[in-house]
Amino acid sequence: MRLQFGRHKKVDRKVKSREKKRGILIAALIVGIPVVGLLAVYIAGLGRYQSCFLNGTVIDEIDVSGMTISQLEEQIGEYSLRVIERQPDGTTLEEEIPGKEIGISYISTEPLEAVLQGQNRFLWFIKQNTDYRTDEPPFYDDAALEKKIGELRGFQKEFIEEPKDAYIADYVPGKGFELAAEKQGNRLNREKTMEAIKAAVNGLEKQVDLDAAGCYEEPDITTEDAELKKTYEKLCNYTNTAITYTFGTERETLDADTVAGWIVLDGQEAQLDREAVKEYVSSLRKRHDTIFRRREFQTSYGETVTIDTGDYGWWMDVGQEMEELIGQLERGESGERVPVYRQTAASHEDPDYGDSYVEINLTAQHLFLYQNGECVLESDFVSGNPSRGNQTPDGIYGITYKERNATLNGENYRTPVSYWMPFNNNVGMHDASWRTEFGRNIYMTNGSHGCINLPYAVAQEIYGYVEKGTPVVCYHLPGTEPEPLPEILPEEEPGLEPVEQGVQTGEQEQGVQTGEQEPGAQTGEAQQPDAQTRETSEPGTEPREVTL
């Protein structure tokens, strides 16, 4: 039994020795086989790159990686350039320029062989990234290439659509202005196209996209053009501005179609036709102004008289209103608008003089003062003396201003008054404390220089009611003549002083106001008084002088 056990131990040692040798062999094989394989690949590559160019080699802009000289020549011989062009509708088409038709080839392969021989083949497995330039790149017939380029469809007249600039389309009622986009078209720039295609052929590129290469003529103005956008916004500003004129209860809306007709476009400049705007404002004036218009006036005597003289009423300032309207449109400010007036009236409704006014019956020599439709005062008066050509004119006027303690200067008189209320140039109402009688037919032979002479208390009361612009209606009404006085004693105005010859003292009370008048105005511009007489004096101040 012992001998058997000893024999078994001896066998185990031999087994272990064999297993160890086997492991060493396997490890050697594991390591050796790849090394041998890599070595075989390296050797094969070393052999291959004896006749072909290393990876990363570029010769005259041609990537020749892994190519032999003969393969390169063969590729050049089969070379064709695909040209991508833009059609009028924006889609593309492709045309070919075969290398054979432009005679592309190498005149000599010696420069290529020199590059090949100069390579470090032992490092063939490393990308070289080397760029060589030879004196003899691929040759092609330049004239033949230019001929082929000229035959492209992009240069054919029937195929070409010109580029068009973006623009502002004409105004369309109900829609407004529209910004029309530019059109690219497909007109080629010959010089840029030649340059792009020759560069592609020189590099033996497979295709060239003429659009991407920037070969097409572009519009000069696009929808992104700052000036075009500014003009478009200005036009929209004009036509989107809603302005409503108010004339009392009446409304007139300035619509977009009307404004669009005023716009003048000069290139990319937009502006309003001033004459057209003025014509529109004038049309408003004609429809709504009441100055110098005939009126039917219901007298306190129950009869109606026609008033067709005087300068009372609405009077629009056409020039200033035109300027302000243009400014509002330029700013794009919508809203209601009240016109600029030279002169206003009491009401836009009929009658425009409202229900607060002074009614003067020159025939009856009697006046009435109405406030809010109620007669609050009436009185006799003495008007201008017709026998001396100083008759008081009829018509409807507005109080120009009112003044305390004024001195009225005429051709041969100076008359101080306490209450002065002019309404027709220098014709006005005032107190006449030197008179003891009023009314009847006094005015026929002992009348004023044209003014309405009133009892002191009456002038004082009227002065407290009226303001600048209060209507004064003067008229003649046959059948209301007063009973004549049997005898009229002369009552001279106080303060009569001789006037030196050669000294100008102004016009008579009924005359034309001194100074220039507004063209077309019947009684001066908006009844503005002379600067000397415009201020209102307070009681107790020094009397002022008014030249009549």
Side-chain angles (χ1 to χ4, degrees):
M1 293 297 289
R2 292 177 183 169
L3 290 173
Q4 288 178 349
F5 283 119
R7 198 177 291 124
H8 279 295
K9 289 178 181 178
K10 207 170 187 178
V11 171
D12 290 339
R13 290 192 190 98
K14 289 180 180 180
V15 170
K16 289 181 179 179
S17 177
R18 286 197 298 272
E19 288 177 351
K20 184 177 181 179
K21 291 178 180 178
R22 187 182 301 112
I24 293 171
L25 179 59
I26 291 171
L29 290 173
I30 291 173
V31 174
I33 289 174
V35 171
V36 172
L38 289 173
L39 182 60
V41 170
Y42 175 77
I43 292 171
L46 193 63
R48 180 174 183 272
Y49 285 101
Q50 291 280 346
S51 59
C52 65
F53 297 103
L54 297 178
N55 288 328
T57 302
V58 176
I59 302 176
D60 296 326
E61 300 183 1
I62 302 172
D63 187 352
V64 296
S65 300
M67 297 174 63
T68 65
I69 292 176
S70 60
Q71 287 175 332
L72 177 56
E73 288 185 298
E74 182 179 349
Q75 178 177 313
I76 290 175
E78 297 175 354
Y79 173 75
S80 180
L81 176 64
R82 186 166 65 253
V83 182
I84 302 175
E85 303 168 61
R86 184 200 298 166
Q87 297 196 90
D89 61 1
T91 59
T92 60
L93 64 83
E94 296 180 2
E95 294 188 80
E96 296 286 335
I97 298 180
K100 293 178 181 178
E101 295 186 14
I102 60 174
I104 189 167
S105 65
Y106 279 106
I107 297 176
S108 172
T109 61
E110 288 183 3
L112 303 177
E113 291 172 355
V115 172
L116 186 62
Q117 295 301 319
Q119 293 184 135
N120 186 351
R121 292 186 296 276
F122 296 102
L123 298 178
W124 63 266
F125 52 89
I126 299 175
K127 189 173 182 179
Q128 301 300 301
N129 293 325
T130 53
D131 192 344
Y132 295 93
R133 297 285 174 175
T134 70
D135 295 333
E136 297 184 21
F139 168 82
Y140 58 84
D141 186 335
D142 194 69
L145 178 59
E146 290 187 2
K147 182 175 181 297
K148 292 298 295 182
I149 293 173
E151 292 173 353
L152 292 173
R153 289 196 65 191
F155 286 110
Q156 308 312 306
K157 184 176 180 180
E158 66 277 3
F159 183 74
I160 297 172
E161 182 175 296
E162 299 290 342
K164 294 181 180 179
D165 292 339
Y167 66 97
I168 300 171
D170 292 339
Y171 177 83
V172 177
K175 293 184 178 179
F177 290 98
E178 181 183 351
L179 187 59
E182 68 278 4
K183 290 186 178 181
Q184 297 295 331
N186 67 333
R187 173 170 283 284
L188 286 167
N189 180 293
R190 184 172 293 273
E191 183 178 345
K192 291 181 179 179
T193 304
M194 291 286 184
E195 182 180 341
I197 291 179
K198 286 181 179 181
V201 172
N202 286 332
L204 294 182
E205 296 175 13
K206 294 182 179 180
Q207 71 176 36
V208 59
D209 187 331
L210 299 183
D211 203 347
C215 296
Y216 286 96
E217 300 286 359
E218 299 291 336
D220 294 326
I221 301 172
T222 70
T223 53
E224 296 304 312
D225 181 83
E227 287 299 319
L228 183 66
K229 290 172 71 174
K230 181 180 178 181
T231 301
Y232 177 66
E233 290 170 2
K234 189 175 184 179
L235 293 174
C236 292
N237 205 36
Y238 284 150
T239 55
N240 292 339
T241 301
I243 297 177
T244 300
Y245 276 94
T246 61
F247 303 92
T249 57
E250 289 188 59
R251 299 287 188 273
E252 283 210 30
T253 299
L254 177 58
D255 58 80
D257 292 352
T258 300
V259 176
W262 300 343
I263 297 173
V264 178
L265 271 175
D266 183 8
Q268 291 192 37
E269 287 293 324
Q271 59 184 355
L272 295 175
D273 184 337
R274 299 176 65 83
E275 287 302 315
V277 180
K278 184 177 181 180
E279 184 178 343
Y280 171 77
V281 175
S282 295
S283 72
L284 292 179
R285 182 189 65 77
K286 291 176 182 177
R287 288 194 296 276
H288 297 283
D289 271 11
T290 58
I291 191 170
F292 308 134
R293 290 189 180 177
R294 177 175 296 181
R295 298 169 178 81
E296 297 300 317
F297 179 74
Q298 181 68 41
T299 70
S300 298
Y301 299 88
E303 296 186 40
T304 300
V305 294
T306 298
I307 308 295
D308 55 8
T309 56
D311 62 358
Y312 182 82
W314 295 98
W315 186 9
M316 193 182 298
D317 189 329
V318 173
Q320 190 60 36
E321 176 56 28
M322 175 193 71
E323 296 294 342
E324 295 202 13
L325 176 56
I326 289 174
Q328 187 168 344
L329 289 170
E330 295 279 0
R331 295 188 299 272
E333 296 176 357
S334 296
E336 292 190 350
R337 177 165 184 79
V338 176
V340 179
Y341 289 103
R342 291 176 178 269
Q343 177 178 286
T344 60
S347 173
H348 280 288
E349 312 307 321
D350 189 24
D352 64 345
Y353 50 82
D355 55 8
S356 296
Y357 53 86
V358 179
E359 176 185 344
I360 297 177
N361 183 342
L362 296 171
T363 304
Q365 293 286 285
H366 196 76
L367 66 72
F368 305 85
L369 174 64
Y370 282 87
Q371 288 291 307
N372 301 319
E374 179 183 354
C375 181
V376 296
L377 178 150
E378 60 178 293
S379 172
D380 288 337
F381 60 82
V382 175
S383 63
N385 188 340
S387 64
R388 295 182 181 178
N390 293 335
Q391 65 271 18
T392 302
D394 59 8
I396 181 169
Y397 309 92
I399 295 292
T400 311
Y401 64 99
K402 66 179 186 177
E403 183 174 2
R404 286 295 315 277
N405 302 324
T407 297
L408 310 181
N409 294 320
E411 183 177 353
N412 58 358
Y413 66 91
R414 290 165 56 85
T415 305
V417 297
S418 297
Y419 301 98
W420 171 231
M421 296 162 280
F423 55 83
N424 176 10
N425 286 318
N426 284 323
V427 173
M429 296 178 290
H430 61 78
D431 55 293
S433 55
W434 60 90
R435 291 186 184 276
T436 58
E437 295 285 342
F438 294 89
R440 301 295 184 97
N441 61 340
I442 297 173
Y443 77 104
M444 298 294 292
T445 58
N446 195 21
S448 72
H449 293 86
C451 285
I452 303 298
N453 288 182
L454 297 167
Y456 184 92
V458 172
Q460 182 183 40
E461 188 171 356
I462 292 176
Y463 190 93
Y465 278 107
V466 300
E467 299 293 342
K468 177 182 177 181
T470 298
V472 178
V473 184
C474 302
Y475 61 87
H476 295 278
L477 182 60
T480 61
E481 294 84 355
E483 181 181 347
L485 290 172
E487 183 180 0
I488 302 174
L489 298 177
E491 296 182 289
E492 294 182 349
E493 298 181 8
L496 183 64
E497 299 176 1
V499 179
E500 297 180 9
Q501 291 186 356
V503 179
Q504 183 175 354
T505 59
E507 301 293 334
Q508 292 182 341
E509 290 178 334
Q510 68 194 43
V512 178
Q513 182 179 358
T514 58
E516 296 182 359
Q517 294 190 17
E518 179 75 11
Q522 182 172 343
T523 56
E525 180 177 344
Q527 298 184 337
Q528 294 301 314
D530 186 274
Q532 180 185 4
T533 63
R534 187 177 301 154
E535 299 178 0
T536 301
S537 300
E538 296 297 328
T541 61
E542 291 297 323
R544 284 165 39 85
E545 295 188 358
V546 179
T547 299
L548 303 178

